[in-house]
Amino acid sequence: MHIEQNILDKVNEWLTPTFDSQTQEEIKEMITTSPKNLEESFFKNLEFGTGGMRGVMGVGTNRINKYTLGKNTQGLSNYMIKSFSGEQLKVAIAYDCRHNSNTLAKVVADVFSANGIHVYLFSDMRPTPELSFALKYLNCHAGIVLTASHNPPEYNGYKVYWQDGGQLVPPQDGEIIEVIEGLNYSEIKFEANENLIEYIDVAVDEAFAKSTIENASFNTPLAAKENLKIVYTSLHGTSIKAIPGVLAKAGYTDVNIVAEQEVPNGDFPTVKSPNPEEPEALSMAIALSDKIGGDIVIGTDPDSDRLGVAVRDTDGKMVLLNGNQTMVIMTAFLLEQWKRAGKLDGKQFIGSTIVSTPMMLELASGYNVECKVGLTGFKWIAKFIKDFPELKFIGGGEESFGYMVGDAVRDKDAVAACLLVCEIAAQAKAAGSTLYKELLNLYVDFGFYKEHLISLTKKGISGMQEINQMMIDLRENPMIEINGQRVVCIEDYENSTSRNMFTEEIESISIPKSNVLIYYLEDGSKICARPSGTEPKIKFYFSVNTPLDAVEKAKEVEKQLDEKIKNIIAEMQLS
């Protein structure tokens, strides 16, 4: 097959003595046996996306390996040395259960230390939110987590956090990327200064647990906690290092762990995908819950920043809540707790994203607080906390099963969210209600909002081209009517414009640029198209809503909303 010259130039660079013999041998093997794989490994450089950098592990510029991560770390080191001139620089590093995460974390630690930067390296795998906490707790300048979240086993990744405990945002991200891209691989300092590498574990664990319990506990009686039957699965991930201990310290005694998924394992052998967004991922936990009569099922992804929740519906059947539903339940509970405590004075806010449920705006209005809406990714919610110090952050989340309670951790945090959702469930059960009934009551108060996500996987060069073309078509040939409803407005975040489809009036959008399109229909429905920033996917988000007069009508109304979503998907030819 023909390979472009620019790709061959990269390949030849990786065959020089700058790269170790094993790397060179693997490349030579690909040249003779798998030129297509060679092309995929070198056709571009791995890029920072919504949640940092993720990719398949292997050799090449488009793969996760010691050289691509080493180059990132060298660039970050150079940037920090320039930005914090004269300071004793400190970084914290954590990693998850994935293959090579521990060895890649040590490579990253080596490069930092070789540049004179003090490294706090966790001695074993830890949840991602603990890294965000540790960074602030240890007064570090930056932090790194080696993780690919819920991606398949062949993936790994590299997430960068800044002084505030949040992930990189503008302008630092662009400035750091520019430094990285200006480096040659020969400039990476791999020779560690072991005196600058300090291993951390129990002391930080205890501080993290204490902080979590303080932030996510709300005066739930001990008897109510003991009466809640919890089924929990770590899906072979890192949350096993934190969640059981936090729940026990908080007073929850009836926690039933799915034994088959308890041991961390980067192959994730019992699931097709270790993603709590996928109903199949929690099937073993739900089966255990049905066996023992559980009240609530909780599962977390490999690095423990997302959680899936299943609860019993009005018929007693376990149903998986989506990320929008758990976000709404937790936010409404927090707002009510703040209100009862007399702490709402107009100087608070909740956070959400442009692809999440509009119901968050209704909640904010109902409690007279502001809802700040940003791009996908918790780094934007963390940026709101940093940019508006005069406002107190209550909580917030996004549709992709992530939530953040307060500002002790500046990223989505399944550890705190797990405790919070147990608090809500325990209090509801003690009051003769359920988590599901509490959700239905919210729909009566604020409107029944129903969301749905379609995620289309398009791998490789051809897949990237196909995704690009889909976005071009949606922009250049916009739909005028969908499911009998006129399109009233199209927001294009790449061009920072909001276009009124009736008057053709165009207004500017102040949110940072991103490759996202949102269609708004005249009945209040919302359709969003967004290529993933971390996976070879394009995602379509659907939100529909209608009033709900009474809880008893919930099933009937939900069927109507499901049918509306089904019709929209069919008309857009996405089914």
Side-chain angles (χ1 to χ4, degrees), residues 268-561:
F268 314 112
T270 65
V271 292
K272 292 178 182 176
S273 169
N275 184 358
E277 293 178 81
E278 304 289 342
E280 182 273 337
L282 294 187
S283 60
M284 293 180 76
I286 289 173
L288 177 59
S289 180
D290 286 339
K291 181 180 178 181
I292 66 173
D295 297 307
I296 186 170
V297 166
I298 299 170
T300 56
D301 67 346
D303 68 326
S304 189
D305 58 4
R306 303 177 189 226
L307 83 163
V309 177
V311 294
R312 298 203 178 276
D313 64 12
T314 51
D315 296 324
K317 179 185 176 183
M318 272 287 167
V319 292
L320 181 66
L321 302 178
N322 65 41
N324 287 298
Q325 291 171 320
T326 54
M327 170 171 60
V328 163
I329 291 169
M330 288 191 277
T331 303
F333 179 83
L334 289 175
L335 287 168
E336 185 63 25
Q337 296 301 311
W338 280 60
K339 179 182 177 181
R340 290 178 183 177
K343 296 195 299 182
L344 294 182
D345 59 5
K347 296 181 180 180
Q348 294 77 33
F349 77 98
I350 59 175
S352 186
T353 73
I354 58 175
V355 301
S356 299
T357 178
M359 191 173 171
M360 288 289 281
L361 298 170
E362 299 300 322
L363 285 176
S365 176
Y367 282 89
N368 196 30
V369 301
E370 185 177 354
C371 181
K372 291 188 177 294
V373 179
L375 295 174
T376 302
F378 274 70
K379 61 186 179 184
W380 301 108
I381 297 179
K383 188 175 188 298
F384 287 143
I385 295 172
K386 183 171 63 173
D387 290 348
F388 298 93
E390 72 278 10
L391 298 179
K392 185 67 176 175
F393 176 69
I394 295 174
E398 61 182 11
E399 54 73 39
S400 60
F401 287 57
Y403 200 80
M404 191 158 77
V405 186
D407 62 1
V409 169
R410 302 289 177 93
D411 200 358
K412 51 184 176 284
D413 179 1
V415 183
C418 176
L419 176 56
L420 175 60
V421 82
C422 288
E423 290 281 289
I424 303 168
Q427 291 189 23
K429 185 176 182 182
S433 182
T434 67
L435 205 65
Y436 193 80
K437 288 178 183 176
E438 294 304 302
L439 175 63
L440 297 184
N441 289 333
L442 291 173
Y443 288 154
V444 172
D445 292 340
F446 297 99
F448 198 144
Y449 284 77
K450 188 70 186 286
E451 280 76 30
H452 184 72
L453 169 67
I454 286 183
S455 187
L456 305 177
T457 300
K458 308 284 184 181
K459 292 184 178 181
I461 299 172
S462 61
M464 185 173 68
Q465 293 169 343
E466 191 175 347
I467 289 172
N468 290 340
Q469 190 58 50
M470 292 175 79
M471 293 300 292
I472 290 170
D473 291 341
L474 285 167
R475 281 192 170 92
E476 297 183 354
N477 304 296
M479 301 179 74
I480 306 301
E481 185 179 286
I482 303 173
N483 191 35
Q485 297 291 321
R486 290 179 298 175
V487 178
V488 298
C489 174
I490 298 177
E491 292 178 344
D492 187 341
Y493 288 82
E494 189 168 73
N495 300 324
S496 299
T497 59
S498 176
R499 176 183 170 192
N500 185 312
M501 298 299 285
F502 295 162
T503 65
E504 292 298 323
E505 183 180 354
I506 295 178
E507 297 181 358
S508 61
I509 295 173
S510 60
I511 290 176
K513 291 181 182 294
S514 183
N515 189 13
V516 181
L517 273 174
I518 300 181
Y519 282 57
Y520 293 92
L521 310 188
E522 59 185 336
D523 65 351
S525 298
K526 173 182 169 185
I527 303 159
C528 174
R530 181 184 77 90
S532 172
T534 50
E535 302 171 271
K537 293 179 178 180
I538 181 169
K539 297 184 176 183
F540 291 88
Y541 307 80
F542 306 90
S543 178
V544 296
N545 68 86
T546 193
L548 178 64
D549 297 332
V551 167
E552 291 74 25
K553 295 182 180 179
K555 287 184 181 180
E556 175 189 343
V557 170
E558 186 168 20
K559 284 181 180 178
Q560 295 170 3
L561 294 176

Side-chain angles (χ1 to χ4, degrees), residues 6 36 50 70-71 86 109-110 118 150 171 192 230 247 292 372 380 422 453 481 536 540 544:
N6 67 315
K36 177 66 175 174
T50 311
K71 188 176 179 182
D110 290 349
H118 189 97
H150 58 278
I230 303 164
L247 289 177
I292 66 173
K372 291 188 177 294
W380 301 108
C422 288
L453 169 67
E481 185 179 286
F540 291 88
V544 296

Side-chain angles (χ1 to χ4, degrees), residues 40-239:
E40 294 282 355
S41 298
F42 283 93
F43 86 95
K44 66 172 184 175
N45 295 340
L46 274 182
E47 299 172 346
F48 279 89
T50 311
M53 175 184 284
R54 294 183 206 165
V56 175
M57 289 178 279
V59 300
T61 60
N62 189 36
R63 297 288 184 259
I64 294 288
N65 52 66
K66 66 178 286 189
Y67 296 102
T68 52
L69 297 193
K71 188 176 179 182
N72 282 351
T73 307
Q74 185 61 54
L76 182 57
S77 298
N78 292 353
Y79 182 85
M80 290 172 63
I81 291 167
K82 183 178 178 180
S83 299
F84 304 108
S85 178
E87 296 185 36
Q88 173 55 61
L89 299 177
K90 298 185 289 185
V91 300
I93 302 174
Y95 57 91
D96 69 4
C97 61
R98 288 179 176 272
H99 299 304
N100 303 314
S101 281
N102 57 346
T103 55
L104 289 171
K106 183 58 167 64
V107 168
V108 171
D110 290 349
V111 175
F112 277 129
S113 69
N115 283 276
I117 297 172
H118 189 97
V119 178
Y120 294 104
L121 175 62
F122 276 100
S123 59
D124 196 2
M125 64 185 74
R126 287 297 189 280
T128 287
E130 187 168 351
L131 182 280
S132 174
F133 172 84
L135 191 163
K136 294 171 63 185
Y137 180 72
L138 298 169
N139 295 312
C140 294
H141 296 80
I144 304 290
V145 178
L146 280 298
T147 178
S149 189
H150 58 278
N151 283 48
E154 64 270 22
Y155 279 75
N156 215 315
Y158 183 93
K159 293 171 73 170
V160 183
Y161 293 77
W162 209 234
Q163 275 184 300
D164 65 322
Q167 289 186 57
L168 283 179
V169 292
Q172 280 83 14
D173 57 355
E175 294 169 357
I176 290 169
I177 290 168
E178 189 175 338
V179 173
I180 292 169
E181 290 177 346
L183 284 173
N184 294 317
Y185 286 100
S186 59
E187 297 178 69
I188 305 170
K189 299 176 182 178
F190 282 116
E191 295 300 319
N193 179 348
E194 297 291 348
N195 293 327
L196 291 179
I197 300 176
E198 180 179 344
Y199 289 90
I200 55 175
D201 37 48
V202 177
V204 177
D205 293 343
E206 291 177 348
F208 175 60
K210 182 173 182 289
S211 172
T212 300
I213 293 168
E214 288 173 355
N215 284 314
S217 295
F218 292 90
N219 301 313
T220 304
L222 185 60
K225 295 179 181 182
E226 293 174 345
N227 192 39
L228 185 71
K229 190 177 286 291
I230 303 164
V231 172
Y232 155 73
T233 175
S234 60
L235 296 178
H236 306 288
T238 61
S239 72

